[in-house]
Amino acid sequence: MTTQSPSPAGRNGTRGRPRDATIDDAVLQATRDLLVDEGYAAVTMNAVARRACTTKTALYRRWPSKIELVHEAVLPSGVEEMAELDDDPRTAVEQMLRWTRDRFSEPAMRAALPGIVADLRRDPTLAARILARFAPTFAVLDTHLANARRRGSIAADADPMTVSQVIGGPVIVALLIDPDAALDDAWIRTTAGLLTSGISR
């Protein structure tokens, strides 16, 4: 799995006080454990701090809110995988779908997904901060799409945000409808075909 990027708050930290990576790791693991054991609603900054044997102040020094903590705990940015996308559009779509499926199918992510979606809908400013975590991923995808446009293998108006929404949408909707959905390789191939070729004959 890709190394998780520190949150915006964590990167800045407290002036003059170095970041302790062991606290980061303990907090992120405690968050994942709480999600799996007790569900999204049970994940509070107090509960995570107790399980990680640290303080709520230490958490807020790194993550401004619960959802930013949960998001970092369950979903890395994926830049390394994005950098290895195949030149063939359909194969690249399959790669992105497979990576998204694998990450969103992990137990902690499955437990967090409905709560994350609800919280982001209530707070557009928070949603924008969460989205900013993926700026490096969008930059890599933008380069890949630019190269594909030069080769003439994709539509000229394909942009990173739209492509990300098109790739992530089917996975998220499938798991929201059926949290136990397997989304096997046959599903990946079928979905990639629909996304790259459409449904018309």
Side-chain angles (χ1 to χ4, degrees):
M1 182 183 295
T2 303
T3 301
Q4 293 164 337
S5 302
S7 66
R11 285 195 297 269
N12 295 333
T14 300
R15 188 180 299 277
R17 183 175 300 175
R19 180 85 172 247
D20 186 344
T22 60
I23 293 178
D24 291 13
D25 293 343
V27 169
L28 294 172
Q29 187 60 54
T31 302
R32 289 189 286 269
D33 291 344
L34 273 170
L35 284 165
V36 174
D37 294 345
E38 301 183 37
Y40 185 80
V43 178
T44 66
M45 297 302 244
N46 277 329
V48 172
R50 284 195 300 270
R51 185 169 287 217
C53 300
T54 187
T55 65
K56 189 168 68 172
T57 300
L59 268 61
Y60 278 116
R61 192 178 297 130
R62 292 160 169 78
W63 297 277
S65 67
K66 162 187 167 175
I67 190 171
E68 285 164 297
L69 168 58
V70 170
H71 196 272
E72 186 172 335
V74 300
L75 195 60
S77 67
V79 171
E80 292 178 7
E81 288 88 348
M82 295 291 290
E84 300 169 359
L85 289 174
D86 195 89
D87 288 342
D88 176 69
R90 177 159 178 165
T91 302
V93 168
E94 289 187 7
Q95 287 175 301
M96 288 186 282
L97 280 169
R98 189 169 290 107
W99 182 89
T100 305
R101 176 206 60 190
D102 291 347
R103 297 307 179 271
F104 277 73
S105 295
E106 291 176 355
M109 184 67 211
R110 285 180 184 253
L113 184 58
I116 287 177
V117 171
D119 282 351
L120 292 182
R121 282 177 56 86
R122 284 194 292 266
D123 191 340
T125 301
L126 178 61
R129 292 208 305 270
I130 292 292
L131 187 62
R133 284 193 66 229
F134 292 97
T137 300
F138 290 138
V140 170
L141 182 55
D142 191 32
T143 299
H144 180 82
L145 294 176
N147 291 335
R149 283 191 291 269
R150 281 193 291 271
R151 293 192 301 271
S153 58
I154 64 169
D157 58 354
D159 66 272
M161 180 62 73
T162 302
V163 170
S164 297
Q165 291 170 341
V166 167
I167 297 298
V171 176
I172 292 172
V173 170
L175 291 175
L176 286 173
I177 293 173
D178 179 7
D180 297 321
L183 308 185
D184 59 15
D185 284 347
W187 182 91
I188 294 289
R189 290 190 296 271
T190 299
T191 304
L194 292 174
L195 294 179
T196 54
S197 303
I199 61 174
S200 58
R201 296 180 62 88

